[in-house]
Amino acid sequence: MTAGLSRELIALRVARELREGMVVNLGIGLPTLVSNFLPPDQQILFQSENGILGYGRISEEEFDPDLINAGGQPVTLAPGASFFDSATSFAMIRGGHIDVAVLGGLEVSEKGDLANWYLPERGGGSIGGAMDLAFGARRVIVAMTHTTADGRPRVRTRCEYPLTAPGVVDLIVTDLAVIKVEPGGLLLTEVAPGVDPDFVQSRTEARLRPSPDLREMEL
Amino acid sequence: MTAGLSRELIALRVARELREGMVVNLGIGLPTLVSNFLPPDQQILFQSENGILGYGRISEEEFDPDLINAGGQPVTLAPGASFFDSATSFAMIRGGHIDVAVLGGLEVSEKGDLANWYLPERGGGSIGGAMDLAFGARRVIVAMTHTTADGRPRVRTRCEYPLTAPGVVDLIVTDLAVIKVEPGGLLLTEVAPGVDPDFVQSRTEARLRPSPDLREMEL
Amino acid sequence: MIDKVFPTPDEALHDVFDGATIMFGGFVTAGTPTNLILALQRRGTKGITGIANNIGLGDKLDVLCEQRQLAKMIATFAIRASGARQSLFEEQYRRGEVELELVPQGTFVERIRAAGAGIGGFLTRTGLGTLVQEGKQIVNVDGVDYLLEKPLRADFALIKAFKADRLGNLVYRGAGRNFNPAMATAADVVIAEVEHLVETGELDPETIGTPGVYVDRVVQCEPVPVRWYG
Amino acid sequence: MIDKVFPTPDEALHDVFDGATIMFGGFVTAGTPTNLILALQRRGTKGITGIANNIGLGDKLDVLCEQRQLAKMIATFAIRASGARQSLFEEQYRRGEVELELVPQGTFVERIRAAGAGIGGFLTRTGLGTLVQEGKQIVNVDGVDYLLEKPLRADFALIKAFKADRLGNLVYRGAGRNFNPAMATAADVVIAEVEHLVETGELDPETIGTPGVYVDRVVQCEPVPVRWYG
């Protein structure tokens, strides 16, 4: 068994996708780690759907109940931050003003369908801002483990869980690989250090087409 | 020929309809005079569709281009005033949060249809906020002269000018009379001092039903 | 002079009736009307349809489940991914004792805004091709499909702001805005809990987040200390 | 560090093309981007579809009629009741040289907001049973008829604010807000004229009316003195 990346390294790899000036929303869970892996001189605007543009790192100071991100975590503010209400926040999200949404995933299909809100085994779930972000962001990156804890592949020919949104995912970053969703299917562009492409395919339900430029992730 | 009320006295009569705590929008023209005839201790909140709630009298001071009412006139602020953008302002108007809109009129029909934006003789017009106010305000009072300068009745069986909104007018205040729009038709409730009800009817195209409580306006 | 101030949360809720539909502002710890929620618990109002972004472990709203005051919730967060610990709401939901309508958060707040703004419905792509689409009309505009979403209003809105004046003008702070300004426009009776009360005329007109026209009652309360449950 | 500041209005308009659809913020004298309008006049761009609340006697926008730069206006105020004096726009409209689409003001700003918010259309009663209804779909929701109104967007938005920082965050003043915040969300390129420029981080996050994400270019200008024409 090949060891995949830690959650932190998945977040680090996602962080490499972000560029100066981008407006980025980080979903709850693994995605929130992404902000820890950005060069401090790079000005990226993190949007939180509860009404902040330009928040900074997780705060270590006294807890301020009115200064939290969408995961309920206390945050600091970056220079140039602003506050707004939820109607304005989702107008921003749904109107296409978010460059990148990094979302967690339960399943992604080869067509870029995303399932990340409903847990059949729990008989319920929570939608939160996930559907709006999935439909509204210009680019959707899903960060997740390649399989469930018991080895069930999350990258599938089609999702079995109820969808968050159909055909919205652009890039999948897992502990094993980086996969691009293209009109023709899934393109395997990077593998984790020491991980064999065949091993990735063996842990994936959908067929992966290896990129001509397939390479090992630089971390 | 009986002399009707001046524009100022029409405005004064309209002002009598307003009560403490009401949110009131005054249309361009004659209606803007209404705010001059309120007791100073009565707290009425004037809303201006360009984004002010709680403006006061017309300002005599140095002109501030960012402190104007919907007619472009410089205004002062009353204590408790607030500013907002046009989307918020029309959400307030269209959402039923304005108690009274006082609008000018070209024609009002016996069904309460209002025409006040299009001038056939000028081959055009301007809608501004009139349609939104006519549809959105809880109560619509039309303040206008009873006839045109050349004697054509403005209170009609049906409007000949293009409508601003159908069936929205609650009360008509003119230089000659106060007329209530009821489901069954028009009820003449008050006449201007010294004006005979028959004279009002002779200057009105629609049939007026005299109220059992018909009286002379108190000014 | 207009004065909308009530002395206590309990008096401000004096006419909240059994079976009422009630909106609750707040996003987790931010802008949550905790004192009003606790007063509603004391009042014991039953059969409530609650409209709130979140009801979960650690949310004050969960206290309304202690005496089964909620008949239904319309929310965006209610059932957690982890089942290690459950909220009272989750327990009651699993036992079929309370109904739940889950709504995407952007649709949730836009439906509330629509109710307050006289919008009869709006078209969104959020939810297309998902369970959210069920039972909803699809409208095609210029070749693109959208879901038609309808307004959402309530009998009461319990909201929270940082400051108020006696006219009901509200000033918010930080991420405490969230759903409060939209909910203030979309309920028959709007009751605001605030940390600071000032005289009318003392608030800067440039900073008012909710104009007083929307607010019926104001109560000044010491904020209830909250702990982050993340 | 991100810096969206341009030295002059003329440079900020460097890529405005003939035939562009352009939004103009402002309500009569308040929040009107006069310096940008004058730069657009100097630039001589032709065939413009203008989207603005008002174009009338005394409005700066009327200068674009001097060299017939406007092909069409979408506006709420354009033709005055009194014919004593006419704007250039009115003269050209009467001669059939410029097209005019009149929109109720609430529908006008809501259409712009919808474009910025990803709303495919919305239902309103404003305009029902009037000329505004012509050519529009009527949608019945729960027994009530509404007009379906569609989003309105532009290639460029020229707006005005009181203050900005280099990131493009804008602070408005008084009734200078009006259409500026909505227009900032609904154009491909948003250019803001401001009276004061500060460094990023100097604006209070509580007071920002338009977050920088919406603004592409900022120009600091002395406001052009205006006179009230009422």
Side-chain angles (χ1 to χ4, degrees), chain A residues 11-19 34 37-38 217-219:
Chain A
L12 169 66
R13 177 59 192 84
V14 170
R16 297 277 161 79
E17 297 291 313
L18 307 183
R19 300 278 172 278
V34 170
F37 296 99
L38 290 165
M217 291 183 206
E218 282 171 32
L219 296 167

Side-chain angles (χ1 to χ4, degrees), chain C residues 113-184:
Chain C
R113 177 186 181 273
I119 304 286
F122 61 89
L123 304 180
T124 178
R125 290 186 51 76
T126 297
L128 265 182
T130 76
L131 292 178
V132 166
Q133 180 178 321
E134 277 178 24
K136 285 176 192 155
Q137 194 179 334
I138 294 181
V139 178
N140 187 290
V141 176
D142 302 334
V144 182
D145 277 344
Y146 296 93
L147 285 187
L148 172 62
E149 292 281 1
K150 294 184 194 175
L152 184 60
R153 38 179 314 124
D155 299 310
F156 296 88
L158 310 190
I159 64 171
K160 159 93 182 350
F162 184 55
K163 282 188 200 173
D165 65 17
R166 293 184 182 274
L167 197 53
N169 288 305
L170 303 181
V171 172
Y172 298 100
R173 176 174 170 275
R177 288 161 172 82
N178 56 68
F179 303 92
N180 291 301
M183 287 179 174

Side-chain angles (χ1 to χ4, degrees), chain B residues 166-186:
Chain B
V168 297
V169 178
D170 297 287
L171 194 75
I172 307 165
V173 179
T174 75
D175 51 333
L176 299 183
V178 176
I179 299 166
K180 254 174 114 165
V181 183
E182 300 204 321
L186 300 176

Side-chain angles (χ1 to χ4, degrees), chain B residues 94 131 135, chain C residues 119-121, chain D residues 104 107 121-140 144-150:
Chain B
R94 291 149 67 116
M131 282 193 186
F135 276 94
Chain C
I119 304 286
Chain D
T107 296
F122 61 89
L123 304 181
T124 179
R125 291 186 49 77
T126 297
L128 265 182
T130 77
L131 291 177
V132 166
Q133 180 177 320
E134 277 179 22
K136 285 175 193 157
Q137 195 179 333
I138 294 182
V139 178
N140 188 290
V144 181
D145 277 344
Y146 296 93
L147 285 186
L148 173 62
E149 292 280 0
K150 297 184 192 173

